[in-house]
Amino acid sequence: MKKAILTFILLMLEINVFSQVEQSSLISSANTKLKEAESMIIKGEHNKVPQLMDSILVLAERIEDIETRFIILGISIQRYISAKYYQNAIDLSKKSIQKSQKHYGDKHKDVAYFLHCLGFSYANDGQLQNAITYEKQAVEMLEELGEYDEMYVMFISLLTHYYNESEQYSESIKTLKHSLSVIDATMAPASLLEIIYRSIGQNYEMLGNYSMALKYTEKAFELHDKSPQGYLSLKIHYANLCSQHGDYERALQVIDEVSEEAKKGDLIELYLESILTKANILLDNR
């Protein structure tokens, strides 16, 4: 009896080891094929991509680790988009949403990610309204889950980009202000808040409301991490806003600060840009 039990245990261990080796081989094969698909796209061999992607998706279905499988599905969607097979990307995104909902339930970060993939696929196919619909669902799901990380920033940025592409600037502002209302400002990273404030300012600028554009750009200033290039670029933009608003004195003061800081930091391109910007401000104030 003991010998039979021992034999059974050894057999189960052997099966388990074999299964692990097989799974490792499947993942490695899928990864190799994804890299091959990327190489085809770079070479312009787009017509070869669908057949290769079919074989990758077959491998993905055999991978037991659900997180790994979903990662492969996400990359596969991006490969379809890069190869300009947008309908394939749309179809795979829809299937991936269903699969992730079946595994995690209706509300999960992975479900939100695949909703974003569907929106992104529609956007690349020129279907902006569908892109807005699904990107908005992805954003709302992350808000319900309390997930305000880099993924949330990307989704919000894309959603407002789609609004702007369809010239719905007021909707873009509404979305961004809503984000500010649901985010705990004491917990959210300053970089996230800065992006939102700056985006609101840019949308007001597109609407020609320079006073509100200045207000939100100033808030972005306060939150900027002060990295030289990004900060000085933002200041140049702010100086232009001041000039458009008719506050030439403030515009010149800010652009002189940029010139001085760029010169000290040996940031030649920004220094030259600040000189050109100052010349344009002076021309506007003639």
Side-chain angles (χ1 to χ4, degrees):
M1 182 67 177
K2 288 182 180 179
K3 185 177 180 181
I5 293 172
L6 182 59
T7 302
F8 176 75
I9 291 172
L10 288 172
L11 179 61
M12 292 305 296
L13 285 172
E14 185 178 337
I15 291 171
N16 185 48
V17 169
F18 176 77
S19 176
Q20 289 178 2
V21 170
E22 183 189 34
Q23 286 296 304
S24 178
S25 176
L26 287 171
I27 294 168
S28 176
S29 181
N31 185 47
T32 299
K33 287 179 181 291
L34 284 168
K35 289 179 179 177
E36 188 179 343
E38 183 181 23
S39 178
M40 286 177 178
I41 293 164
I42 291 169
K43 293 175 183 176
E45 299 172 342
H46 293 184
N47 61 314
K48 296 181 180 179
V49 172
Q51 186 176 354
L52 181 59
M53 295 309 302
D54 286 344
S55 66
I56 292 169
L57 296 176
V58 169
L59 289 171
E61 286 302 309
R62 294 172 58 195
I63 293 172
E64 294 173 358
D65 183 76
I66 197 69
E67 289 185 12
T68 302
R69 188 191 305 170
F70 285 162
I71 288 169
I72 291 170
L73 290 176
I75 297 171
S76 297
I77 292 166
Q78 300 306 319
R79 292 290 185 271
Y80 275 133
I81 292 171
S82 297
K84 300 182 180 179
Y85 283 90
Y86 303 128
Q87 190 57 52
N88 297 66
I90 290 167
D91 293 341
L92 183 55
S93 296
K94 289 179 178 179
K95 289 176 183 177
S96 299
I97 291 168
Q98 293 173 348
K99 289 178 186 293
S100 57
Q101 285 176 328
K102 185 177 179 180
H103 185 78
Y104 292 117
D106 288 341
K107 298 188 188 303
H108 187 272
K109 198 169 182 179
D110 280 6
V111 178
Y113 174 73
F114 287 123
L115 283 167
H116 147 73
C117 287
L118 182 54
F120 191 59
S121 300
Y122 274 125
N124 279 273
D125 196 36
Q127 301 184 53
L128 277 178
Q129 198 51 54
N130 281 333
I132 288 169
T133 296
Y134 290 103
E135 201 70 54
K136 187 176 181 181
Q137 286 181 24
V139 167
E140 289 172 348
M141 188 172 293
L142 288 185
E143 288 176 351
E144 288 181 44
L145 294 167
E147 297 279 359
Y148 301 109
D149 54 10
E150 292 83 0
M151 186 181 288
Y152 180 77
V153 174
M154 179 177 71
F155 292 179
I156 279 287
S157 298
L158 284 169
L159 178 57
T160 54
H161 173 70
Y162 301 153
Y163 277 131
N164 292 348
E165 284 289 299
S166 53
E167 298 184 354
Q168 299 181 56
Y169 303 116
S170 296
E171 281 298 319
S172 184
I173 291 169
K174 180 181 174 182
T175 298
L176 291 162
K177 285 186 174 180
H178 170 73
S179 295
L180 289 175
S181 72
V182 298
I183 293 173
D184 183 350
T186 61
M187 299 293 290
S191 58
L192 167 57
L193 296 173
E194 184 218 330
I195 289 169
I196 294 174
Y197 279 121
R198 191 194 305 187
S199 296
I200 294 173
Q202 288 170 344
N203 278 279
Y204 273 122
E205 185 182 355
M206 294 301 295
L207 289 170
N209 190 337
Y210 296 114
S211 61
M212 292 299 288
L214 279 168
K215 174 184 174 182
Y216 283 95
T217 304
E218 284 172 352
K219 288 186 177 181
F221 260 139
E222 295 169 8
L223 293 162
H224 200 281
D225 62 5
K226 302 298 187 292
S227 57
Q229 289 183 314
Y231 185 62
L232 293 181
S233 293
L234 184 58
K235 288 188 80 168
I236 290 172
H237 179 68
Y238 178 72
N240 279 316
L241 279 176
C242 290
S243 178
Q244 289 169 323
H245 188 52
D247 190 351
Y248 299 110
E249 184 178 346
R250 176 65 177 150
L252 289 170
Q253 179 188 342
V254 171
I255 208 64
D256 283 341
E257 290 173 2
V258 172
S259 296
E260 186 177 344
E261 291 175 52
K263 194 173 182 179
K264 284 181 181 177
D266 200 26
L267 301 169
I268 305 301
E269 288 185 12
L270 283 170
Y271 176 71
L272 293 174
E273 187 180 351
S274 69
I275 298 298
L276 181 60
T277 301
K278 182 175 182 177
N280 289 330
I281 293 170
L282 290 169
L283 284 172
D284 289 341
N285 191 30
R286 283 187 306 176

